[in-house]
């Protein structure tokens, strides 16, 4: 009888994995802490603590269920400090003839596993609604790639928020109800505080010792490291935040990091929660009249729609996807992304929240730090390395399409029909940052002018050739063309001087890969 070693990766902490169901009684289940996974990009220390603590807790759960578990700790003397090498060492030590592993979430690992030969056997990651093969079929032969088309088909296929074959509430999309800026009298729910047990405390000490030089603080760590804690977060979100999730989905606050967002991405991405149970809990809240349809549809769309769609795009388009750079952006990362030292209030707050929480909500990632990098011409590889490192929920299958595709418009439009570029006016409308800022959002040129304003026009002007054919950009190019020549010159001059005043990390050349990161 074959004796398999079953390798569970740090973002596969679910008892429902097919690979676990495949385990014969003699199987050895291995979880391996390794240095290489901790620093192939300089992950935020909170992210590393989350993964290692959740792995240790999950190993205990599996032992309680009767599995024979081998746990390689980061400090073990014989640890090979590389996932595949460590798994092969363990397979030899336990006399295992096969190594079974669930399809990893990053192409770099998949490629290495596939090159290892027949000893390794891949299992599908069935935690997603849509398999990689099914997404491939959906994509094949299509001229138009729109998340909306995919999402509607997924609603029909799953029956989520469907009534007699029709979308619940009579519409597929409630986005027009979901763009409200902050109201001053809003009270935001306080997330549950999770107890930090001995496992988390030990891991924190370990991470401080090994990865203490990475960007980010550990003090405020409050991520769910067990399924029980993740379920507490889910219940809290459904009861306290979901009802307002839709309405304020796009709002940004100078003081409140989370607003009505769920903070569930990390739990879903590492396996503590399944996207199915999360979507079903939201649907039940609507069915029981505890949350309105605009909120529930908006939330389900993020998971059943965006989350599944970006994964599909990633696996269909890798490895070439990572080299895409359609706007030919070449700058390195602005150096203050690692320090938060900038006078741009909105950018500063997003960076501070990232440093302190290993999290920023979607609009901060897209319209503040992302938009700024897009306008400045930061290379996809440079920005992707950063996003992959600093967010607790960042794994390449979800990070890369969001950063390279949605934010930098570097893939030619899988993630959006036009770039998400915006001036200070958008940030002012959706947030209360500008009143705290030293720059004046109403000014486009001059000493006090908000840099986003001139950068916006500078971006449009320099990408005229690529973007002017896009019918959604026609109006804005019309406004630019109607401006007086000297005004346009002054704006471009203003933006150019601002860009010159910044310090960018070393530039990335065409075709450079992300993850060739430089240590900080
Ligand atoms: P909520 O606002 O409560 O949304 C609910 C859930 O929907 C999230 O938990 C998440 O699972 C899903 N979701 C929402 N938007 C997206 C999206 N665009 N793509 C995929 N799933 C989505 N999300 C990640 O999980 N990992 C990443 O590495 C990541 N990188 C991003 C990088 C950039 C530049 C941008 C613009 C977005 C990125 N996102 C990423 C998507 C999104 O910002 C996060 O999922 C969200 O902020 C997580 O916080 P939350 O759980 O409170 O989300
Ligand atoms: C992110 C991460 C870190 C920091 N450490 C480990 C680890 O020590 N062992 C492990 O199995 N996984 C870790 N991970 C998660 C992996 O990087 C992740 O499984 C791959 O990137 C594939 O998504």
């Amino acid at each position: 009888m074959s004796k398999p070693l079953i390798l569970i990766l740090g973002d596969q902490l679910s008892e429902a994995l097919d690979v676990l169901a495949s385990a014969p009684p003699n199987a050895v289940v291995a979880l391996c802490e390794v240095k290489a996974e901790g620093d192939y990009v300089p992950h935020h220390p909170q992210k590393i603590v989350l993964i290692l603590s959740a792995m240790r807790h999950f190993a205990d759960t599996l032992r309680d269920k009767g599995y024979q578990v081998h746990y390689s700790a980061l400090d073990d003397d014989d640890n090979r400090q590389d996932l595949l090498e460590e798994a092969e060492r363990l397979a030899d030590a336990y006399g295992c003839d096969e190594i079974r592993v669930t399809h990893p979430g990053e192409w770099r690992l998949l490629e290495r596993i596939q090159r290892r030969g027949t000893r390794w056997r891949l299992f599908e990651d069935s935690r997603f609604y849509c398999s990689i093969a099914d997404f491939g079929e959906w994509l094949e032969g299509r001229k138009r790639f729109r998340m909306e088309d995919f999402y509607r088909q997924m609603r029909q296929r799953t029956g989520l928020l469907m009534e007699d074959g029709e979308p619940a509430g009579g519409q597929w999309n409630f986005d027009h109800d979901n763009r409200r800026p902050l109201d001053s009298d809003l009270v935001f729910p306080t997330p549950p505080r999770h107890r930090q047990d001995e496992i988390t405390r030990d891991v924190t000490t370990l991470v401080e010792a090994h990865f203490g030089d990475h960007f980010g603080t550990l003090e405020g760590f409050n991520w769910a490291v067990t399924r029980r804690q993740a379920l507490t977060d889910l219940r809290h979100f459904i009861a306290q935040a979901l009802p307002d999730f839709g309405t304020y989905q796009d709002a940004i606050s100078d003081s409140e990091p989370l607003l009505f967002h769920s903070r569930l991405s990390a739990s879903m991405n590492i396996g503590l929660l399944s996207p199915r149970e999360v979507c079903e809990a939201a649907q039940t809240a609507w069915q029981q009249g505890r949350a309105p349809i605009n909120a529930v549809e908006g939330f389900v769309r993020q998971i059943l729609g965006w989350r599944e769609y970006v994964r599909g795009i990633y696996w269909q388009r890798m490895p070439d996807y990572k080299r895409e750079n359609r706007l030919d952006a070449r700058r390195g990362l602005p150096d203050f992304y690692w320090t938060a030292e900038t006078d741009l209030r909105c950018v500063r707050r997003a960076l501070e929240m990232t440093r302190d929480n290993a999290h920023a909500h979607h609009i901060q990632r897209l319209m503040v730090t992302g938009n700024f990098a897009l306008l400045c011409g930061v290379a996809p590889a440079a920005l992707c390395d950063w996003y992959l490192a600093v967010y607790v929920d960042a794994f390449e299958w979800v990070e890369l399409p969001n950063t390279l595709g949605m934010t930098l418009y570097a893939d030619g439009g899988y993630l959006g029909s036009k770039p998400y570029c915006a001036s200070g006016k958008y940030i002012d409308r959706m947030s209360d940052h500008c009143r705290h800022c030293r720059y004046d959002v109403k000014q486009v040129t001059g000493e006090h002018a908000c840099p986003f304003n001139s950068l916006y026009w500078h971006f449009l002007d320099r990408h005229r050739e690529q973007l002017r054919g896009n019918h959604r950009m026609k109006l804005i190019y019309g406004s630019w063309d109607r401006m007086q020549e000297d005004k346009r010159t002054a704006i471009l001059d203003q933006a150019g001087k601002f860009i010159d005043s910044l310090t960018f990390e070393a530039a990335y050349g065409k075709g450079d890969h992300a993850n060739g990161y430089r240590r900080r």
Side-chain angles (χ1 to χ4, degrees):
M1 185 194 194
S2 156
K3 181 178 183 184
L5 182 97
I6 296 189
L7 175 66
I8 308 282
L9 305 182
D11 55 352
Q12 300 176 343
L13 310 179
S14 159
E15 286 180 63
L17 295 178
D18 290 355
V19 75
L20 279 175
S22 84
N26 65 351
V28 178
V29 178
L31 291 100
C32 309
E33 296 176 0
V34 293
K35 194 94 187 351
E37 290 304 303
D39 61 11
Y40 70 95
V41 289
H43 296 294
H44 194 297
Q46 290 195 29
K47 178 179 178 185
I48 309 181
V49 170
L50 165 66
I51 304 269
L52 302 194
S53 176
M55 282 173 69
R56 290 182 181 202
H57 282 98
F58 188 65
D60 285 346
T61 305
L62 292 180
R63 279 190 199 103
D64 291 346
K65 295 270 153 106
Y67 289 98
Q68 184 189 346
V69 176
H70 178 99
Y71 196 91
S72 297
L74 199 71
D75 274 349
D76 287 351
D77 287 340
D78 46 4
N79 189 325
R80 294 260 169 93
Q81 303 299 353
D82 171 89
L83 273 177
L84 309 196
E85 283 171 26
E86 180 64 358
E88 284 173 359
R89 180 183 76 81
L90 296 177
D92 291 343
Y94 284 95
C96 298
D97 50 1
E98 187 180 63
I99 302 174
R100 299 184 187 173
V101 65
T102 303
H103 192 291
E106 303 197 348
W107 189 84
R108 70 185 166 88
L109 273 184
L110 178 70
E111 192 215 13
R112 284 188 63 210
I113 291 170
Q114 285 173 334
R115 278 202 270 116
R116 270 350 232 207
T118 50
R119 191 180 190 187
W120 285 78
R121 188 167 147 205
L122 277 166
F123 279 65
E124 178 149 353
D125 192 341
S126 53
R127 289 176 293 165
F128 292 88
Y129 277 103
C130 186
S131 69
I132 294 171
D134 284 353
F135 191 87
E137 268 177 38
W138 178 83
L139 199 67
E140 205 174 316
R142 248 165 222 276
K143 291 217 173 62
R144 193 182 108 125
F145 316 105
R146 287 287 163 267
M147 192 288 289
E148 186 67 32
D149 300 337
F150 169 77
Y151 167 65
R152 289 183 190 188
Q153 193 192 77
M154 291 301 289
R155 289 269 297 277
Q156 282 163 328
R157 202 207 291 177
T158 58
L160 263 175
L161 298 180
M162 296 298 290
E163 292 177 315
D164 302 325
E166 296 298 319
Q171 287 166 222
W172 291 106
N173 186 319
F174 292 83
D175 273 358
H176 61 273
D177 297 335
N178 289 355
R179 299 210 175 98
R180 185 126 162 215
L182 284 182
D183 294 316
S184 55
D185 56 349
L186 283 175
V187 179
F188 303 102
T190 310
R193 189 83 224 154
H194 299 302
R195 191 178 73 84
Q196 290 186 23
D197 62 8
E198 205 179 326
I199 293 182
T200 303
R201 289 198 300 273
D202 284 352
V203 164
T204 304
T205 308
L206 192 71
V207 169
E208 273 166 348
H210 287 275
F211 307 104
D213 58 338
H214 292 190
F215 167 81
T217 58
L218 267 171
E219 288 81 56
F221 183 89
N222 189 27
W223 296 101
V225 294
T226 62
R227 175 156 166 79
R228 181 191 280 248
Q229 290 177 343
L231 285 169
T232 303
D233 282 351
L234 173 59
R235 277 192 295 272
H236 164 83
F237 168 70
I238 299 284
Q240 308 292 329
L242 177 62
D244 289 308
F245 173 86
T247 308
Y248 299 105
Q249 201 175 341
D250 285 359
I252 319 174
S253 162
D254 197 72
S255 54
E256 285 291 328
L258 215 52
L259 310 171
F260 299 102
H261 291 277
S262 69
R263 206 180 60 135
L264 295 175
S265 50
S267 289
M268 278 187 276
N269 293 354
I270 70 171
L272 300 182
L273 293 176
S274 87
R276 287 186 184 81
E277 71 190 326
V278 172
C279 288
E280 281 162 17
Q283 173 173 255
T284 305
W286 170 68
Q287 286 164 339
Q288 297 177 346
R290 290 184 280 124
I293 188 67
N294 71 306
V296 175
E297 190 284 313
F299 183 69
V300 167
R301 161 184 298 267
Q302 304 312 313
I303 298 172
L304 181 66
W306 282 113
R307 186 171 187 272
E308 298 282 330
Y309 183 77
V310 300
R311 177 173 185 260
I313 295 291
Y314 178 80
W315 286 114
Q316 294 305 320
R317 291 294 176 254
M318 281 298 278
D320 294 344
Y321 195 76
K322 199 162 168 168
R323 288 187 282 266
E324 289 278 21
N325 188 0
R326 302 275 175 105
L327 296 181
D328 197 23
R330 298 294 189 96
R331 291 204 165 82
L333 194 75
D335 65 347
F336 61 74
Y337 274 50
W338 298 112
T339 62
E341 281 164 22
T342 169
D343 285 347
L344 288 125
R345 179 72 185 196
C346 52
V347 180
R348 180 184 196 105
R349 292 299 293 136
L351 293 172
E352 286 171 344
M353 290 178 197
T354 301
R355 178 195 63 202
D356 298 343
N357 309 325
H359 186 273
H361 63 70
H362 185 66
I363 301 301
Q364 290 175 307
R365 296 188 205 191
L366 181 65
M367 301 308 296
V368 180
T369 43
N371 181 28
F372 185 77
L374 170 74
L375 300 184
C376 289
V378 173
L383 196 68
C384 290
D385 275 4
W386 185 79
Y387 274 97
L388 189 60
V390 301
Y391 291 114
V392 69
D393 52 24
F395 300 93
E396 199 179 74
W397 65 266
V398 53
E399 172 277 319
L400 189 74
N402 269 296
T403 311
L404 182 147
M406 188 184 294
T407 303
L408 294 180
Y409 202 65
D411 66 357
Y414 284 107
L415 275 297
S417 53
K418 72 175 193 55
Y420 284 94
C421 53
S423 68
K425 197 171 167 184
Y426 172 89
I427 293 166
D428 192 31
R429 186 166 68 245
M430 298 313 294
S431 80
D432 57 348
H433 286 307
C434 301
R435 79 170 80 124
H436 302 282
C437 189
R438 93 150 176 83
Y439 293 111
D440 182 350
V441 70
K442 300 271 179 316
Q443 293 185 36
V444 183
T445 51
E447 200 190 331
H448 302 291
C450 167
F452 273 99
N453 292 336
S454 57
L455 286 174
Y456 173 69
W457 292 117
H458 193 269
F459 170 82
L460 290 173
D461 187 67
R462 71 177 187 266
H463 294 298
R464 194 184 182 94
E465 280 312 304
Q466 290 114 317
L467 301 178
R468 72 174 172 181
N470 184 325
H471 72 279
R472 295 191 63 198
M473 307 294 288
K474 280 220 161 72
L475 220 60
I476 200 68
Y477 276 110
S479 306
W480 180 233
D481 291 342
R482 280 193 301 280
M483 260 183 226
Q484 300 281 345
E485 176 81 32
D486 57 343
K487 191 170 172 193
R488 284 204 301 253
T489 307
I491 291 173
L492 296 180
D493 194 44
Q494 172 95 11
K497 285 197 178 118
F498 176 77
I499 291 176
D500 287 346
S501 76
L502 300 177
T503 307
F504 296 93
E505 294 191 328
Y508 280 61
K510 208 170 192 163
D512 266 3
H513 271 250
N515 305 346
Y517 95 97
R518 289 145 311 214
R519 241 184 127 69
R520 305 224 39 91

